[in-house]
Amino acid sequence: MNYHQYYSVDVVNGSGTRCTLFVSGCLHQCRGCYNQNTWRVDSGQPFTLVMENQIIADLKDQRIKRQGLSLSGGDPLHPHNVPAILQLVKRVKEECPDKDIWLWTGYVLNELNDIQQEVISYIHVLVDGKFEQALYNPTLIWRGSHNQVIHYLR
Ligand code: SF4
C-alpha cells in the first residue's frame, strides 16, 4: 500500500483530535473528486512498518491526546489496500484499545466483500458511498454529498 499524506494532529477529519492517513488508490472515479491525484495505487509513497509504528506511537502519545485514527484517501478499502489496512486496524485495537477508528470509502456498506467487512469489524464510524456532484452540499459535516452515510457502528 502507498499513502499520500499523514497528519499526526488533525481536527478536521472526524470527531476530536486525530491522526489521519490518506492512502493511495481509488477505483470509483467520482465526478468532481477533490483528490484525483490519489487514484493510482502507485502514487504517493510506500506505507512502511516505520510509518505504521509512528501512527501507533502518536496514538499512544500522552502529550497530545488523540481520540483516534482516521483513514481516508483514495480508498482504504481498495482491494490493493485492504491487507495493510487490516493489519493497521488490528494493531490499533490491540495496542490502543481506547482509540476509535473512522474510515471513508466510496464503497457502500452492504456491498462489501468478506475481507472488506473484516476491516469494518474494527471500525467505529464508517462514511460510505461515492461522491455525487449533483448531491454536493458544502454544509454537510464529514461527507461531501447527501447520498453518503455516516454509520456509527460501535
Ligand atoms: S471515492 Fe473519494 S477519492 Fe475515490 S473518486 Fe470518489 S471522491 Fe475521489
Side-chain angles (χ1 to χ4, degrees), residues 77 105-120 126 128:
L77 296 185
T105 182
Y107 297 97
V108 176
L109 178 58
N110 63 10
E111 294 175 353
L112 299 179
N113 64 28
D114 287 351
I115 189 162
Q116 289 170 324
Q117 284 183 24
E118 190 179 350
V119 171
I120 298 306
L126 175 75
D128 75 347

Side-chain angles (χ1 to χ4, degrees), residues 31 108 126-151:
R31 184 178 294 185
V108 176
L126 175 75
V127 185
D128 75 347
K130 290 176 64 167
F131 171 70
E132 299 285 352
Q133 203 163 33
L135 300 175
Y136 168 64
N137 182 340
T139 67
L140 294 171
I141 186 165
W142 298 322
R143 58 199 176 119
S145 55
H146 276 287
N147 61 297
Q148 294 171 313
V149 177
I150 303 173
H151 302 270

Side-chain angles (χ1 to χ4, degrees), residues 72-123:
S72 187
D75 197 325
L77 296 185
H78 185 296
H80 182 79
N81 296 335
V82 166
I85 291 292
L86 186 57
Q87 179 174 309
L88 175 61
V89 296
K90 282 180 175 175
R91 276 194 71 182
V92 172
K93 183 177 182 185
E94 195 174 307
E95 300 179 42
C96 315
D98 59 327
K99 306 301 178 186
D100 64 17
I101 310 176
W102 290 46
L103 187 149
W104 280 256
T105 182
Y107 297 97
V108 176
L109 178 58
N110 63 10
E111 294 175 353
L112 299 179
N113 64 28
D114 287 351
I115 189 162
Q116 289 170 324
Q117 284 183 24
E118 190 179 350
V119 171
I120 298 306
S121 71
Y122 292 88
I123 302 303

Side-chain angles (χ1 to χ4, degrees), residues 34-55:
Y34 54 90
N35 240 349
Q36 290 193 20
N37 62 335
T38 68
W39 285 3
R40 287 176 47 160
V41 290
D42 61 356
S43 62
Q45 53 194 308
F47 184 74
T48 61
L49 183 59
V50 171
M51 193 63 221
E52 191 181 290
N53 289 339
Q54 182 65 51
I55 293 174

